[in-house]
């Protein structure tokens, strides 16, 4: 198994499960029209009662601030949105439930209308899933009959908000860890319920993680599944007398030997090389490791911090690993789940290198060191400064719960109805919406990096390569600049129209690759962890004037007395 960056991942036995390829079209059955807020349906009835069913509306789905004090966001969740659109239909039991849940007096014809409602008349535009995105740029633009585009709001938001937050969090971990470190998502037991756990596994993989401990996610989304054993496996053994099976056949010759006996002999030899007394090492731990090695001789990866890493865990592991070598197998490595991870990883690597030299086993020096234990971005940055020797991080709580920021804050705002622009005003300028149906372009400089995202009205001519275009801050008059792009990227594509998906959906691996390619288009100062440079989002001069004219038209005029 190779990671996206070409590094070899442990593949065999207890530490890996192979990819499946048959269940790509899984859709969570919870995602259905009733997965919404009640007010969406009460508004729909009021629209229906007012005869506004066929009013044509345009809504923008966007966020106002990048998460995690960063300056980029990864857009994710689009495929699930399209599956939702494809299957949008109120069942008979949905209708029966709504008859009891909604206020009394709602006309029967409305329920008949709902029972026939689908998303066939909706058009959905979006930027590509896995792309970097920025505040105020609509990730998704939805156009169609007012009732149906209103009813889509909450479900689209729940499908995009966490997915994008999770993918962004994972991408940040990938950046701080570096491309040569493997990252595994271990967060199912700490996630916000089973749906949160599945989404975390899927979108952490998109963001750059190499695998997950979540077996169901592996089956549903074809994500590599990884795992070793818990401390309970070690503590379940109290001594070597509990071993029911001690014999292991040689991988090639088939000759059977007592693995425990081999391990004990190697432990005596290692105690002299490493200057560690065998009396300090745990017999129960040795028995557990021998047992696990017999179960998974090609994938022996052991937890070494149950008792004491230096005096027991490493000694016992190395003894068993050498015993496996005698029988034609190579151990995979160790996992450390507590203590000073920088020091212990350096100790482990030094131990492996000494044994490699003493026993003339070059592969032993390259044994994998996995670290877990409430790891977050700051932990990895600190470990980097300390010169750790960790090959792989298993990350759970801080990743899947997005502890630094629990929500992205995407919103869904009407910007046009019946070809008439709509604007939402606020004393907080950041909450003023940008009205009208818009297109968005990404302008690149000669060095290949993205310079600025430009919003325009749909009836404006798109910017052209080499042609100077005035880019303005949407709300600050003095902030403006001319840009002569070396490349112009149209960000929107039509993904849904006439009741069908119009684009071939990329695989999870293709979306994962797009994340990394898209991040490479940003300058390093936009991506740095501390005080990143804000990426510029601008509007055309035409759109700027349009926004401010509409603002003046809709803002009330006060009167002093």
């Amino acid at each position: 198994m190779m990671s996206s960056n070409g590094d070899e991942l442990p593949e065999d036995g207890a530490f890996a499960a192979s990819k499946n390829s048959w269940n790509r079209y899984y859709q969570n059955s919870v995602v259905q029209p009733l997965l919404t807020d009640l007010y969406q349906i009460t508004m729909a009835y009021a629209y229906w009662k007012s005869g506004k069913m066929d009013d044509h509306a345009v809504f923008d789905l966007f966020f106002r601030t990048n998460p995690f004090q960063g300056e980029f966001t990864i857009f994710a969740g689009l495929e699930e949105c399209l599956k939702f659109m494809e299957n949008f239909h109120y069942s008979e039991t949905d209708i029966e439930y709504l008859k009891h849940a909604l206020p009394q007096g709602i006309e029967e014809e409305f329920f008949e209308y709902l029972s026939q409602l689908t998303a066939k008349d909706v058009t959905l535009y979006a930027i590509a899933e896995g792309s970097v995105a920025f505040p105020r740029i609509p990730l998704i633009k939805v156009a169609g009959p007012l009732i149906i585009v209103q009813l889509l709001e909450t479900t689209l938001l729940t499908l995009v908000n966490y997915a994008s937050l999770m993918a962004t969090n994972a991408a940040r971990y990938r950046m701080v860890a570096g491309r040569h470190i493997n990252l595994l998502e271990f967060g199912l037991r700490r996630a916000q319920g089973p749906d949160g756990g599945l989404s975390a596994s899927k979108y952490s993989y998109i963001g750059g993680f190499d695998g997950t401990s979540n077996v169901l996610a592996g089956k549903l989304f074809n994500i590599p599944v990884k795992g070793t054993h818990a401390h309970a496996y070690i503590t379940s053994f109290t001594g070597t007398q509990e071993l029911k099976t001690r014999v292991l056949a040689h991988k090639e010759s088939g000759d059977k030997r007592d693995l425990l006996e081999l391990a004990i002999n190697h432990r005596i030899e290692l105690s002299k090389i490493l200057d560690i007394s065998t009396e300090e090492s745990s017999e129960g731990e040795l028995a557990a490791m021998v047992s696990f090695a017999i179960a998974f001789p090609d994938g022996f990866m052991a937890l070494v911090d149950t008792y004491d890493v230096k005096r027991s865990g490493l000694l016992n592991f190395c003894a068993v690993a050498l015993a496996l070598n005698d029988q034609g197998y190579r151990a995979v490595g160790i996992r450390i789940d507590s203590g000073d991870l920088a020091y212990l990883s350096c100790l482990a690597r030094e131990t492996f290198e000494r044994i490699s030299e003493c026993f003339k086993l070059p592969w032993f020096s390259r044994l994998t060191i996995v670290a877990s234990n409430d790891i977050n971005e700051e932990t990895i940055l600190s470990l980097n400064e300390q010169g750790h020797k960790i090959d792989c991080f298993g990350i759970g709580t801080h990743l899947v719960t997005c502890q630094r920021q629990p929500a992205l804050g995407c919103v869904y705002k009407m910007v046009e109805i019946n070809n008439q622009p709509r604007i939402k005003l606020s004393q907080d300028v950041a909450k003023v919406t940008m009205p009208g149906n818009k297109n968005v372009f990404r302008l690149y400089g000669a060095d290949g990096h993205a310079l600025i995202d430009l919003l325009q009205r749909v009836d404006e001519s798109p910017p052209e390569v080499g042609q100077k275009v005035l880019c303005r801050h949407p709300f600050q008059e003095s902030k403006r600049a001319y840009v002569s792009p070396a490349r112009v990227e149209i960000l929107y594509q039509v993904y849904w129209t006439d009741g069908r998906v119009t684009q071939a959906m990329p695989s999870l691996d293709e979306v994962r690759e797009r994340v990394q390619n898209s991040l490479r288009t940003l300058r390093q100062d936009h991506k740095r962890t501390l005080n990143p440079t804000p990426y510029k989002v601008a509007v055309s001069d035409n759109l700027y004037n349009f926004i401010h004219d509409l603002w003046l038209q809709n803002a009330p005029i006060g009167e002093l007395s």
Side-chain angles (χ1 to χ4, degrees), residues 91 106 147 179 221 255 355 376 393 405 462 488 522 526:
S91 68
I106 291 182
I147 285 185
R179 70 184 192 91
F221 307 127
D255 293 340
I355 293 171
N376 57 29
F393 289 107
Q405 182 173 326
V488 176
L522 297 186
H526 293 309

Side-chain angles (χ1 to χ4, degrees), residues 439 441 455-463 540-544:
N439 282 328
F441 304 90
L455 285 156
Q456 294 186 337
R457 301 183 69 185
V458 290
D459 57 1
E460 291 186 69
S461 299
S540 66
D541 190 50
N542 186 311
L543 179 55
Y544 175 88

Side-chain angles (χ1 to χ4, degrees), residues 382-420:
S382 175
L383 288 168
N384 290 344
E385 292 174 356
Q386 297 174 66
H388 71 83
K389 301 298 181 182
I390 297 164
D391 302 295
C392 176
F393 289 107
I395 305 173
T397 305
H398 292 275
L399 173 69
V400 303
T401 63
C402 298
Q403 282 191 342
R404 291 186 66 191
Q405 182 173 326
L408 177 57
C410 284
V411 294
Y412 186 86
K413 299 296 182 183
M414 181 191 291
V415 294
E416 184 177 282
I417 187 163
N418 296 329
N419 297 314
Q420 298 300 310

Side-chain angles (χ1 to χ4, degrees), residues 127-392:
I127 66 175
E129 186 163 13
S131 300
V132 289
F134 304 100
R136 302 192 189 98
I137 297 295
L139 305 173
I140 293 175
K141 182 171 67 172
V142 184
L146 177 57
I147 285 185
I148 179 63
V149 295
Q150 184 73 71
L151 287 168
L152 295 173
E153 175 179 357
T154 301
T155 317
L156 293 182
L157 284 171
T158 197
L159 291 173
V160 170
N161 261 313
Y162 181 67
S164 300
L165 186 72
M166 188 68 237
T168 307
N169 202 23
R172 291 174 62 89
Y173 275 98
R174 167 50 67 200
M175 289 194 305
V176 298
R179 70 184 192 91
H180 296 297
I181 300 292
N182 290 317
L183 296 175
L184 303 177
E185 177 268 311
F186 283 176
L188 178 58
R189 64 186 60 193
R190 304 286 173 80
Q192 278 87 345
D195 293 318
L198 281 173
S199 294
S201 299
K202 178 179 181 180
Y203 294 111
S204 65
Y205 185 67
I206 283 176
F209 273 58
D210 298 292
T212 178
S213 64
N214 186 338
V215 181
L216 183 57
K219 175 187 175 184
L220 296 178
F221 307 127
N222 309 324
I223 300 171
V225 182
K226 313 289 182 181
T228 53
H229 60 76
H231 292 290
Y233 192 83
I234 301 293
T235 58
S236 71
F237 289 81
T238 56
T240 55
Q241 72 279 1
E242 295 179 25
L243 283 171
K244 301 292 192 295
T245 303
R246 295 168 47 161
V247 174
L248 179 66
H250 193 280
K251 187 172 184 177
E252 295 175 358
S253 69
D255 293 340
K256 294 181 179 179
R257 298 179 70 182
D258 187 318
L259 196 69
L260 174 62
E261 184 180 316
L262 291 172
I264 289 174
N265 291 335
H266 280 302
R267 189 170 66 165
I268 293 170
E269 193 174 4
L270 287 172
S271 70
K272 298 172 184 176
I273 295 171
L274 302 176
D275 194 24
I276 300 173
S277 171
T278 58
E279 295 179 0
E280 296 183 70
S281 61
S282 166
E283 294 298 303
E285 182 179 58
L286 177 64
M289 289 186 181
V290 169
S291 169
F292 206 72
I294 290 172
F296 301 102
D298 273 316
F300 180 51
M301 162 80 62
L303 198 57
V304 296
D305 67 311
T306 304
Y307 301 114
D308 186 287
V309 175
K310 183 176 181 179
R311 294 178 175 82
S312 183
L314 274 177
L315 180 63
N316 282 328
F317 167 79
C318 291
V320 176
L322 289 172
L324 279 174
N325 180 71
D326 292 341
Q327 291 301 88
Y329 297 95
R330 288 186 181 181
V332 173
I334 62 169
R335 178 162 72 95
I336 306 170
D337 192 47
S338 62
D340 186 332
L341 297 180
Y343 165 72
L344 292 174
S345 68
C346 291
L347 172 68
R349 183 62 67 209
E350 180 186 346
T351 301
F352 296 157
E353 289 171 350
R354 288 177 66 185
I355 293 171
S356 171
E357 184 178 348
C358 288
F359 289 85
K360 307 304 179 188
L361 298 173
W363 61 269
F364 210 98
S365 66
R366 300 189 297 272
L367 285 169
T368 298
I369 300 173
V370 179
S372 45
N373 186 29
D374 268 351
I375 290 168
N376 57 29
E377 272 189 62
E378 287 73 20
T379 304
I380 296 175
L381 288 168
S382 175
L383 288 168
N384 290 344
E385 292 174 356
Q386 297 174 66
H388 71 83
K389 301 298 181 182
I390 297 164
D391 302 295
C392 176

Side-chain angles (χ1 to χ4, degrees), residues 494-525:
V494 177
Y495 280 90
W496 173 271
T497 193
D498 297 326
R500 64 183 183 87
V501 177
T502 59
Q503 304 284 339
M505 284 292 97
S507 68
L508 214 60
D509 284 315
E510 289 170 332
V511 176
R512 187 171 185 262
E513 185 177 0
R514 180 182 288 132
V515 170
Q516 299 308 316
N517 289 338
S518 190
L519 282 168
R520 277 192 282 272
T521 67
L522 297 186
R523 296 198 316 260
Q524 191 57 44
D525 58 307

